[in-house]
Amino acid sequence: MLLTLDVGNSHIHAGVFNQDELVLQFRYTTASAHGSSDQIGIFLRQALHENKINSKTITGVAVASVVPAINYSLRSAVLKYFDLEPFFLQPGVKTGLKMQVATPKEVGADRIAGCIAAVQLFPNTDILVIDLGTATVFDVVRKDKTYLSGAILPGVRVSLDALSASAAQLSSVSIVKPQIVIGKDTDTNLQSGIYYGHLGALKELKSAMINEINVEANEVVTIATGGFSQLFNVKGLFDMIVPDLVLQGIKIAFDKNKIQEK
């Protein structure tokens, strides 16, 4: 079995694949992983044990990390607790994408993983991937697998937290889809602004990007992923939501590079 780890700024999203089937998913706060390699390794083994998976059945570990500070501890944890050398999705490994960006080394591994999986789902198709997490990230991949990059804006929670921290009379609120746009008090004003403001940004950026690559909107498949993707699942915005898109991409990259090694 393969253990995949999507290391983001807020959480580590882990998944276990038994061949091509994703049989387990769990999360760990990234802040907790800034400790020792023992903390990481013990957590991973306990999480597997609690879900009735013997850690000895893990034959590979693949990682996409956007938090370089914990990569050393993470690698040490995998070596010590799984006796495996982890595969990191990073510049220089085989991805199947043609990078048409100014600085390929700066592109987050999670973005690449999501696009790898998207291309596998929809080959020979222009694709827009929108990842709604700590940041909201747009990526465009052309039908010939050329990766064009896209745009990054503050995520929903980051936007709300920044506003609450900067304005003394504004407190944090639940992030929900409001029933009305014109809020009746401060809390519903915030909820409306955060939700509909972000929705407007999603629609505008999607439209502008499709226009910029000069294709018809119905010729582009829009795939959403990330923790806030379901919140914005409104008619016509996404063609599909794939919550485990990044984990799927990490597995595909792992398989590509294992084949390459042979």
Side-chain angles (χ1 to χ4, degrees):
M1 288 194 278
L2 175 68
L3 173 62
T4 55
L5 301 172
D6 171 17
V7 183
N9 291 292
S10 300
H11 293 91
I12 297 175
H13 182 194
V16 177
F17 286 86
N18 184 3
Q19 297 183 347
D20 291 330
E21 182 184 0
L22 183 60
V23 295
L24 172 65
Q25 296 183 64
F26 57 93
R27 293 181 183 270
Y28 188 49
T29 58
T30 304
S32 301
H34 280 279
S36 69
S37 59
D38 291 318
Q39 285 177 285
I40 301 171
I42 290 169
F43 169 77
L44 291 173
R45 287 186 58 160
Q46 283 184 332
L48 294 172
H49 176 75
E50 291 299 321
N51 287 279
K52 298 180 173 54
I53 293 178
N54 188 332
S55 61
K56 294 185 183 299
T57 64
I58 300 297
T59 56
V61 178
V63 183
S65 172
V66 297
V67 190
I70 71 169
N71 288 354
Y72 179 83
S73 294
L74 183 56
R75 177 177 179 270
S76 298
V78 173
L79 285 168
K80 181 175 181 179
Y81 287 88
F82 294 88
D83 195 26
L84 295 168
E85 177 67 53
F87 163 79
F88 280 83
L89 179 53
Q90 59 191 355
V93 305
K94 188 176 181 181
T95 65
L97 301 176
K98 294 178 277 188
M99 303 296 288
Q100 190 174 311
V101 294
T103 50
K105 291 183 179 180
E106 294 182 2
V107 181
D110 55 344
R111 299 175 71 175
I112 297 301
C115 291
I116 290 171
V119 167
Q120 178 105 335
L121 286 170
F122 294 96
N124 307 311
T125 306
D126 291 314
I127 301 168
L128 172 61
V129 178
I130 306 177
D131 190 342
L132 294 105
T134 302
T136 295
V137 183
F138 292 71
D139 285 302
V140 177
V141 185
R142 300 306 308 268
K143 62 176 63 179
D144 66 352
K145 299 183 182 180
T146 298
Y147 172 82
L148 302 182
S149 196
I152 303 173
L153 66 152
V156 182
R157 171 59 66 184
V158 169
S159 300
L160 178 59
D161 289 347
L163 188 58
S164 300
S166 301
Q169 290 187 301
L170 298 180
S171 60
S172 186
V173 296
S174 299
I175 299 174
V176 297
K177 179 181 178 181
Q179 297 301 311
I180 55 175
V181 179
I182 302 173
K184 300 306 180 184
D185 54 27
T186 301
D187 284 358
T188 53
N189 283 186
L190 276 170
Q191 289 172 328
S192 177
I194 289 293
Y195 178 82
Y196 287 106
H198 212 76
L199 179 61
L202 290 170
K203 290 180 177 179
E204 178 62 24
L205 280 165
K206 174 184 174 179
S207 175
M209 287 182 180
I210 292 174
N211 183 63
E212 195 165 289
I213 62 174
N214 197 29
V215 295
E216 296 296 324
N218 61 5
E219 297 175 355
V220 178
V221 173
T222 301
I223 304 173
T225 191
F228 288 105
S229 54
Q230 289 290 349
L231 181 65
F232 294 98
N233 188 17
V234 299
K235 185 177 180 180
L237 186 57
F238 310 136
D239 291 300
M240 67 187 314
I241 295 176
V242 186
D244 57 8
L245 187 72
V246 174
L247 296 181
Q248 296 284 351
I250 296 170
K251 180 192 181 300
I252 295 167
F254 176 84
D255 291 343
K256 283 180 180 291
N257 286 274
K258 284 301 176 184
I259 293 171
Q260 187 180 39
E261 287 177 7
K262 295 176 182 179

